[in-house]
Amino acid sequence: FPVTIAAPYVIGDGTPSIIAGKHIEIFEDVTNGMTFADIQKYPERFVLFRGRVPNLQYSNSTFWLKLNVINNTSDKLLALELSNAQLDSIEVYLIKDNEVVSFQAGDAFPFSARLFNHQHFVFPFQLKKLESCLILLKVRSLEQVNIPLVVGKRKDILTNNYQTDLIAGIYFGIMFVMFFYNMFLFLTIS
């Protein structure tokens, strides 16, 4: 992939894990037939995404996303999080030094097949300090294709996910208790 339009996303020690929208390039495969080998032949077909979160509406197409990442942290354990659990099929290709590591996920796969026991799709990878890699995603869904990508230190992404889950659990726990408390009051007063 020699042709890259978007600026690389640099992960720094003080950089929070953010949605990497403005660092993404997108290609729409209307034939749904292109493979990883095919897409490598046409890097010039990717166009720069100019928004924050790629929202590609409802489409029968397959979308390819390209993101170049540079690790500028002391932590080599990184992660890519895709926080839309309704995507049917996701293929992730991590390309570093001509080596390719791939993952498959999506709601068409059993939940037990996920790498992390979480509602979002989290894909781990390792980069030494000042190393870079190219991340290529192939996404297809019969529902709305909304692709919020977060790249950062694995520890930060997982901590943020578990804190969000804890807050949601406390909220729903309080609502559950209030519901039964009000039902108890209703039944005893009436």
Side-chain angles (χ1 to χ4, degrees):
F1 280 94
V3 178
T4 301
I5 304 167
Y9 178 70
V10 180
I11 303 169
D13 277 322
T15 307
S17 300
I18 63 165
I19 295 178
K22 64 182 180 179
H23 301 277
I24 294 173
E25 298 172 47
I26 298 177
F27 168 66
E28 181 177 3
D29 174 17
V30 293
T31 67
N32 296 319
M34 295 189 83
T35 65
F36 175 69
D38 296 333
I39 208 74
Q40 288 180 315
K41 298 174 188 172
Y42 305 105
E44 70 281 353
R45 291 188 180 178
F46 283 85
V47 295
L48 182 62
F49 178 72
R50 301 213 182 269
R52 187 166 183 264
V53 176
N55 185 350
L56 307 169
Q57 306 300 321
Y58 292 90
S59 177
N60 291 325
S61 299
T62 298
F63 292 94
W64 290 84
L65 288 81
K66 183 167 55 166
L67 172 68
N68 192 15
V69 175
I70 298 173
N71 184 15
N72 195 23
T73 70
S74 54
D75 194 352
K76 68 177 184 176
L77 301 176
L78 306 174
L80 169 74
E81 176 187 24
L82 205 162
S83 55
N84 180 356
Q86 296 180 338
L87 296 173
D88 296 336
S89 174
I90 305 162
E91 293 177 28
V92 178
Y93 300 93
L94 302 166
I95 306 160
K96 181 178 77 168
D97 300 328
N98 292 327
E99 290 183 23
V100 178
V101 177
S102 64
F103 302 101
Q104 285 189 326
D107 69 2
F109 295 90
F111 190 83
S112 60
R114 294 188 184 191
L115 298 170
F116 292 93
N117 189 15
H118 195 266
Q119 71 264 26
H120 298 166
F121 301 108
V122 180
F123 306 100
F125 64 100
Q126 293 186 19
L127 285 179
K128 295 177 186 169
K129 187 169 180 132
L130 301 177
E131 244 184 351
S132 68
C133 81
L134 184 68
I135 300 172
L136 196 65
L137 283 95
K138 179 181 180 182
V139 178
R140 179 156 164 74
S141 187
L142 298 176
E143 287 121 19
Q144 183 175 8
V145 183
N146 184 11
I147 309 171
L149 287 176
V150 176
V151 181
K153 294 188 279 188
R154 188 182 312 175
K155 175 183 65 170
D156 293 347
I157 287 176
L158 295 177
T159 300
N160 183 49
N161 286 344
Y162 292 128
Q163 286 175 346
T164 302
D165 290 349
L166 179 64
I167 290 168
I170 290 170
Y171 172 78
F172 287 112
I174 291 170
M175 292 297 112
F176 183 74
V177 168
M178 292 303 297
F179 173 78
F180 283 107
Y181 174 72
N182 284 310
M183 285 301 292
F184 173 74
L185 287 178
F186 174 75
L187 293 174
T188 56
I189 292 175
S190 57

